[in-house]
């Protein structure tokens, strides 16, 4: 449709018809079935009202969405198609590793490819918009939703966020109506990643400086990449819930950041302003939200029941409604829905694409690239499948299909490759002998998860399970412990005060170690866990997060060395929860602690180190890499100059490996305190044993900018330090001076 036609359409619509476009309800309210991602009872709607709504969420499948669209269009006065939205977070039917794990790949290419597959599968299932990427900076692993972010670093999140937007929306020069393209949705605007105490939905108390510098950056990058939608966050910032924050939406998002797409609220977030205590009732909540610039009210009845009256009573200008509706119609038009309301929706294509060989291959590759090898004493890994030794795989994840993270539905466990299947395929016909034992369930008896899921202990003889495991360990040369938290201990509403693996599993590890200390531990998790009790008792430790459909194959690939581990931590691993928040880019203090342990009057704890267990960016390979000193193309930089920083990275081990070379900058002195280090570049190099390669990074003035003491976004002349190394602890550096600006 031409813009003019959209304008004519808008002009013809009644107030109620327009407001209908601004309402989104869950698909289960239209027809039977659907997936619930929030409370079911936040909306009551009549058949007449639902005939006018503009979009639905959480209903999938070509057959059902085709029918819903057909019937809906037939009944709508202007035959305006519905927008179908869904949380396609780390894959639709082929499940990729959770976003936090994708962050550990440090690879925009892989992340874009994974999002592309997710988009293609979602598009044929009838979906037009995914509620992704989540670009919240996350620095508190107690918060369950860290699993849905790519990590603690704004720069990395920005790079990976842009990659996701390209993957979903088809990339540069593509239009949303193109085949396999869906709209992305940046969330959660803003700063949802910093709830107090790591408690989901809690308020955010950070300064405007931190907010702008560390939280807005990734959202901004995705806006610039052309993402068509933004979701408001549940939390308040500066004591105002985001969906009511006019300054945030109209000034920051639209004016400063230049976003001109659709703003949708989070699930019932508009009505929740009443609980927040800033609206008397849902009528006032509706007024605050429309004034702030929320175009679509997701799963509350505030707009549905009150917007029209607010306009008629002169409290809200109809112009605001028109602007919002035009943005929604434009999105529908950009997706090509007026010409083809079914877009890519096709049962035949579902059969062809869902979890097809090509998609599975990518999922396997992405999963393997996301695993982080924390420790490998005595080169216990990789395991040798040609040996005559016995391996015991022990633990509740040894033969478990729940490897897909808490934002993957509809759940299809039969598609997941378990460790047992992956290892079975790898070892069949080889001389190595493999034995299996579960040892214990994932959860302790009575342990609660976000979905109120509990292990059923009535049929379980825990002692027998543990004894069998210990006996298996006795007969083995090497034990592979497959442990971790449950998928539903993470995700929305999945905050934890204790971030350890369940007690039973730790007990199992302790008992196994009494009879065999040749232990490789594979850890499943949706967050950084307290791991010291595990790393102390294991010779090798591999973090596999929630690896998805091809998890078992990818784990077998890495354990047996067919693929070398290359993942790097996208979030710091704390020693203990008491250190939280702990992140690599922390700020310098007046009383620095140089040793990590507290002696005298310096920054830190009496009873804990200030150092993490493993820093951001850390991850081993089966080989080792050496870094030469850094050379800089010049030592003085004028505003328009580019400095090239170069190192030679060499593989000094005895097998091939991929290194993620990381560039960090430090502003040695600023008008405000500057972070210890800031990640500003990443390059991956694959090197054969004995091979060396030059790796160069371009440093520009723009990379040095920050909010100065007067909140101007500038760079300040002075000394800068350039670090290049294998993780954020890198101490290999060179220095240059940024000259006075003319
Ligand atoms: C609430 C979550 O915060 C949001 O991320 C999600 O997209 C919506 N529910 C819809 O499921």
């Amino acid at each position: 449709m031409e813009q003019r036609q959209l304008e004519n359409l808008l002009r013809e619509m009644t107030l109620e018809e327009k407001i209908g476009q601004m309402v989104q309800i869950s698909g289960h309210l239209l027809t039977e079935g659907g997936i619930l991602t929030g409370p079911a009872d936040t909306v009551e709607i009549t058949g007449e009202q639902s005939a006018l709504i503009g979009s639905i969420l959480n209903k999938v499948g070509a057959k059902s969405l085709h029918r819903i669209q057909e019937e809906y269009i037939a009944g709508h006065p202007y035959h305006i198609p519905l927008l179908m939205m869904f949380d396609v977070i780390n894959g639709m039917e082929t499940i990729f590793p959770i976003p936090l794990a994708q962050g550990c790949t440090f690879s925009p290419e892989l992340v874009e490819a994974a999002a592309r597959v997710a988009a293609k599968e979602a598009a044929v299932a009838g979906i037009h918009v995914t509620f992704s990427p989540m670009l919240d900076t996350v620095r508190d692993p107690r918060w369950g939703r860290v699993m849905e972010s790519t990590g603690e670093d704004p720069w990395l999140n920005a790079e990976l966020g842009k990659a996701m937007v390209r993957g979903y929306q088809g990339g540069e020069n593509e239009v949303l109506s193109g085949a396999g393209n869906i709209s992305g949705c940046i969330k959660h605007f803003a700063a949802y990643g910093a709830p107090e105490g790591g408690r989901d939905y809690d308020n955010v108390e950070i300064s405007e400086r931190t907010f702008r510098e560390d939280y807005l950056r990734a959202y901004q990058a995705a806006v610039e990449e052309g993402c068509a939608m933004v979701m408001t966050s549940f939390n308040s910032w500066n004591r105002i819930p985001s969906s009511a924050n006019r300054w945030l939406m109209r000034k920051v998002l639209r004016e400063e950041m230049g976003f001109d797409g659709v703003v949708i609220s989070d699930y019932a977030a508009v009505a929740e302003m009443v609980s927040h205590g800033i609206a008397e009732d849902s009528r006032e909540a509706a007024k605050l939200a429309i004034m702030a610039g929320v175009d679509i009210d997701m799963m509350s009845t505030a707009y549905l029941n009150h917007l029209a009256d607010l306009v008629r009573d002169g409290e809200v200008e109809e112009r605001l409604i028109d602007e919002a509706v035009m943005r929604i119609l434009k999105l529908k038009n950009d997706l090509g829905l007026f010409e083809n309301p079914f877009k890519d929706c096709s049962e035949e294509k579902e059969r062809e694409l869902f979890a097809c060989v090509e998609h599975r291959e990518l999922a396997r590759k992405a999963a393997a690239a996301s695993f982080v090898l924390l420790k490998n004493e005595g080169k216990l890994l990789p395991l040798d499948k040609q040996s005559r030794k016995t391996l015991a795989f022990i633990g509740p994840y040894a033969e478990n299909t729940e490897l897909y993270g808490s934002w993957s539905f509809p759940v299809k466990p039969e598609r997941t490759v378990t460790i047992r299947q992956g290892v079975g395929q790898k070892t069949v016909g080889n001389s190595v002998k493999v034995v299996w034992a579960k040892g214990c369930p994932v959860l302790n008896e009575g342990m609660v998860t976000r979905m109120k899921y509990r292990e059923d202990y009535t049929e379980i003889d825990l002692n027998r399970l543990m004894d069998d495991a210990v006996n298996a360990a006795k007969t083995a040369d090497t034990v592979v412990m497959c442990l971790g938290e449950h998928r539903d201990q993470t995700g929305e509403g999945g905050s934890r005060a204790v971030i350890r693996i369940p007690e039973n599993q730790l007990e199992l590890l302790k008992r196994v170690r009494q009879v065999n200390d040749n232990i490789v531990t594979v850890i499943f998790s949706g967050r950084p866990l307290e791991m010291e009790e595990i790393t102390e008792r294991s010779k090798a430790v591999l973090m596999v997060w929630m690896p998805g459909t091809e998890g078992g194959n990818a784990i077998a690939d890495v354990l047996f060395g067919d693929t070398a581990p290359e993942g790097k931590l996208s979030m710091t691993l704390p020693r203990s929860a008491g250190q939280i928040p702990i992140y690599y880019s922390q700020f310098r203090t007046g009383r620095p602690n140089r040793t990590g342990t507290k002696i005298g009057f310096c920054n830190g704890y009496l009873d804990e180190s200030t150092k993490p267990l493993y820093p951001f960016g850390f991850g081993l390979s089966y080989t080792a890499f050496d870094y030469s000193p850094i050379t800089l193309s010049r030592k003085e930089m004028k505003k328009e100059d580019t400095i090239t920083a170069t190192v030679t990275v060499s593989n000094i081990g005895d097998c091939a490996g991929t290194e993620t070379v990381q560039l960090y900058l430090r502003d040695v002195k600023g008008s405000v305190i500057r972070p210890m280090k800031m990640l500003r570049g990443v390059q991956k190099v694959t090197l054969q044993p004995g091979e060396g390669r030059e790796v160069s990074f371009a440093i520009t003035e723009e990379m040095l900018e920050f909010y100065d003491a007067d909140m101007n976004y500038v760079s300040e002349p002075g000394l800068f330090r350039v670090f290049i190394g294998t993780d954020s602890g890198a101490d290999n550096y060179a220095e240059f001076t940024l000259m006075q600006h003319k």
Side-chain angles (χ1 to χ4, degrees):
M1 251 193 210
E2 311 246 321
Q3 178 63 22
R4 188 180 35 85
Q5 291 170 290
L6 288 182
E7 281 159 17
N8 289 341
L9 173 60
L10 183 67
R11 220 168 289 125
E12 282 178 37
M13 291 165 79
T14 64
L15 184 58
E16 273 73 14
E17 286 161 357
K18 288 190 281 195
I19 290 166
Q21 292 298 310
M22 300 169 71
V23 175
Q24 174 169 97
I25 59 169
S26 173
H28 80 275
L29 294 167
L30 278 190
T31 57
E32 294 269 288
I35 294 149
L36 265 185
T37 57
D41 56 358
T42 56
V43 164
E44 268 181 38
I45 191 166
T46 64
E48 212 175 298
Q49 286 173 317
S50 66
L52 292 182
I53 54 143
S55 58
I56 60 168
L57 82 156
N58 293 348
K59 191 102 194 162
V60 283
K63 190 169 180 199
S64 112
L65 288 186
H66 196 285
R67 210 196 56 237
I68 291 177
Q69 186 75 297
E70 205 166 39
E71 285 172 7
Y72 175 84
I73 292 176
H76 191 276
Y78 299 96
H79 312 298
I80 300 176
L82 273 175
L83 273 174
M84 316 290 189
M85 309 195 191
F86 187 52
D87 289 285
V88 185
I89 307 298
N90 45 301
M92 174 78 200
E93 294 277 334
T94 309
I95 305 302
F96 287 87
I98 53 170
L100 186 64
Q102 292 190 35
C104 296
T105 67
F106 277 57
S107 168
E109 293 76 23
L110 261 182
V111 169
E112 178 174 342
R116 188 74 207 129
V117 165
K120 283 185 183 167
E121 292 186 351
V124 298
I127 297 302
H128 308 132
V129 180
T130 174
F131 298 128
S132 169
M134 170 171 135
L135 294 175
D136 304 321
T137 306
V138 294
R139 291 174 172 174
D140 189 334
R142 292 172 298 181
W143 191 45
R145 294 197 80 171
V146 303
M147 54 79 56
E148 204 186 336
S149 159
T150 46
E152 75 181 42
D153 185 63
W155 182 89
L156 183 64
N157 291 348
E159 293 305 303
L160 300 181
K162 286 189 286 184
M164 286 189 205
V165 173
R166 290 193 295 273
Y168 294 139
Q169 301 196 167
E172 223 184 325
N173 305 326
E174 262 286 346
V175 282
L176 273 181
S177 55
N181 297 349
I182 59 176
S183 163
C185 174
I186 297 164
K187 67 187 190 184
H188 306 82
F189 199 75
Y192 182 44
E196 284 202 306
R199 295 175 296 269
D200 209 358
Y201 317 119
D202 215 315
N203 301 307
V204 170
E205 289 286 331
I206 54 175
S207 69
E208 184 176 346
R209 184 182 306 283
T210 304
F211 181 76
R212 284 186 176 275
E213 205 148 309
D214 294 344
Y215 287 82
L216 293 189
R217 179 191 267 269
Y219 308 127
Q220 168 82 60
V223 166
E224 284 167 15
E225 202 63 38
C227 195
M229 194 182 271
V230 166
M231 185 187 291
T232 66
S233 56
F234 284 125
N235 59 280
S236 72
W237 174 69
N238 207 14
R239 318 274 162 94
I240 304 173
S242 299
S243 309
N245 193 333
R246 197 192 305 195
W247 174 84
L248 181 65
M249 299 300 159
R250 296 204 182 265
K251 175 85 176 39
V252 178
L253 179 64
R254 296 223 182 265
E255 251 180 60
E256 293 179 20
M257 293 170 66
F259 179 69
D260 61 3
V262 173
V263 173
I264 187 167
S265 79
D266 203 344
Y267 200 110
V270 175
E272 285 169 13
M273 287 179 206
V274 179
S275 306
H276 270 286
I278 65 150
E280 180 85 42
D281 50 25
S282 70
R283 176 181 163 119
E284 192 181 358
K287 181 174 171 184
L288 287 169
I290 184 71
M291 303 293 265
V294 174
D295 300 326
I296 302 180
D297 175 6
M298 180 201 295
M299 276 304 274
S300 101
T301 41
Y303 278 10
L304 185 72
N305 293 341
H306 305 293
L307 262 191
D309 286 344
L310 284 165
V311 172
R312 279 192 283 264
D313 295 345
E315 288 186 49
V316 167
E317 285 178 74
E318 191 159 353
R319 177 184 62 85
L320 295 184
I321 312 287
D322 288 348
E323 280 172 11
V325 176
M326 180 48 87
R327 286 193 280 263
I328 297 164
L329 294 178
K330 188 166 176 308
L331 178 59
K332 293 186 174 185
N333 194 37
D334 289 347
L335 283 156
L337 298 183
F338 287 105
E339 287 74 27
N340 177 12
F342 308 106
K343 199 167 181 290
D344 303 299
C345 181
S346 151
E347 286 182 77
E348 196 192 324
K349 285 268 184 222
E350 282 185 336
R351 284 189 290 275
E352 193 185 304
L353 286 186
F354 282 1
C356 65
V357 175
E358 194 192 324
H359 294 181
R360 277 181 173 274
E361 274 170 10
L362 184 68
R364 183 169 179 166
K365 190 172 159 198
S370 75
F371 300 163
V372 182
L373 182 64
L374 296 178
K375 183 176 175 184
N376 194 15
E377 214 177 284
K379 293 199 176 171
L380 194 53
L381 288 176
L383 304 169
D384 183 3
K385 51 185 177 245
Q386 313 292 0
S387 77
R388 303 210 156 269
K389 297 197 167 149
T390 300
L391 303 174
F393 281 78
I394 294 175
Y397 273 103
E399 200 176 349
N400 194 327
T401 53
E402 300 212 15
L403 312 183
Y404 31 74
S406 67
W407 274 108
S408 300
F409 15 65
V411 173
K412 300 219 169 101
E414 66 284 2
R415 278 214 187 115
T416 314
V417 181
T418 63
I419 296 188
R420 185 162 187 164
Q421 288 163 337
V423 169
Q425 281 180 26
K426 192 76 62 187
T427 52
V428 64
N430 282 305
S431 46
V432 72
K433 188 174 168 225
V434 190
V435 296
W436 298 87
K438 180 171 175 178
C440 65
V442 174
L443 296 169
N444 279 21
E445 190 167 10
M447 210 170 204
V448 191
T449 70
R450 60 193 270 276
M451 304 301 282
K452 297 207 176 58
Y453 171 85
R454 287 161 192 253
E455 300 275 4
D456 179 8
Y457 269 75
T458 48
E459 304 285 305
I460 294 172
D461 182 346
L462 191 57
N463 277 329
R464 221 207 66 223
L465 281 179
M466 291 240 184
D467 288 346
D468 289 350
V470 171
N471 288 336
K474 278 185 193 155
T475 65
D477 296 281
T478 303
V479 178
V480 181
M481 298 296 298
C482 306
L483 310 175
E485 59 179 355
H486 192 277
R487 69 192 284 261
D488 282 333
Q489 290 183 292
T490 67
E492 189 179 343
S495 294
R496 297 182 67 194
V498 176
I499 51 168
R500 292 198 288 269
I501 59 168
E503 283 298 318
N504 279 345
Q505 296 189 45
L506 193 59
E507 175 64 21
L508 178 67
L509 175 62
K510 288 179 183 165
R511 287 182 55 179
V512 165
R513 186 145 185 282
Q514 280 166 3
V515 298
N516 191 334
D517 67 358
N518 250 349
I519 297 177
V520 175
T521 302
V522 175
I523 291 287
F524 290 80
S525 79
R527 57 160 62 78
L529 294 166
E530 273 183 29
M531 299 265 296
E532 214 163 6
E533 288 167 305
I534 297 164
T535 53
E536 274 171 0
R537 291 177 174 82
S538 318
K539 289 194 176 158
V541 178
L542 186 70
M543 295 285 289
V544 298
W545 313 107
M546 289 290 164
T549 310
E550 284 289 319
N553 277 332
I555 291 168
D557 287 341
V558 172
L559 289 180
F560 288 97
D562 293 332
T563 306
E566 60 173 271
K568 298 281 190 175
L569 292 174
S570 63
M571 243 185 125
T572 304
L573 278 196
R575 279 174 200 281
S576 56
Q579 292 178 310
I580 295 169
I582 181 167
Y583 49 97
Y584 84 92
S585 59
Q586 266 163 321
F587 298 94
R588 285 152 63 187
T589 69
R591 298 250 175 123
N593 183 332
R594 298 190 202 286
T595 59
T597 24
K598 167 120 176 146
I599 308 162
F601 295 98
C602 64
N603 163 259
Y605 305 102
L606 285 173
D607 52 359
E608 180 58 283
S609 162
T610 53
K611 303 254 191 267
L613 189 59
Y614 292 100
F616 173 85
F618 180 86
L620 301 172
S621 175
Y622 290 151
T623 187
F625 300 100
D626 177 66
Y627 282 73
S628 74
I630 302 164
T631 56
L632 298 181
S633 61
R634 53 171 77 221
K635 292 287 173 131
E636 291 185 346
M637 180 194 237
K638 291 203 274 318
K639 205 171 166 41
E640 61 285 0
D641 288 340
T642 297
I643 291 187
T644 308
T646 308
V647 283
T648 301
V649 183
S650 310
N651 181 342
I652 53 167
D654 49 17
C655 61
T658 299
E659 171 68 324
T660 304
V661 184
Q662 299 161 42
L663 167 83
Y664 294 89
L665 299 179
R666 178 186 297 165
D667 188 347
V668 175
K669 196 211 83 160
S671 60
V672 297
I673 302 167
R674 307 290 292 125
M676 298 281 193
K677 279 181 186 153
M678 307 171 286
L679 182 68
R680 286 294 179 268
V682 168
Q683 284 188 48
K684 292 203 147 211
V685 283
T686 300
L687 299 170
Q688 298 304 315
E691 190 185 353
R693 191 161 323 147
E694 272 197 355
V695 178
S696 295
F697 294 93
I699 303 171
T700 57
E701 183 265 344
E702 206 187 62
M703 290 165 134
L704 314 176
E705 290 174 337
F706 66 102
Y707 288 93
D708 71 3
D710 299 320
M711 289 300 281
N712 298 311
Y713 196 65
V714 293
S715 62
E716 288 179 345
L719 193 64
F720 287 84
R721 220 168 248 189
V722 180
F723 299 82
I724 302 181
T726 188
D727 60 50
S728 61
D731 51 10
N732 183 25
Y733 73 85
E735 290 179 337
F736 71 88
T737 305
L738 177 67
M739 308 303 285
Q740 200 68 44
H741 306 324
K742 290 220 177 78

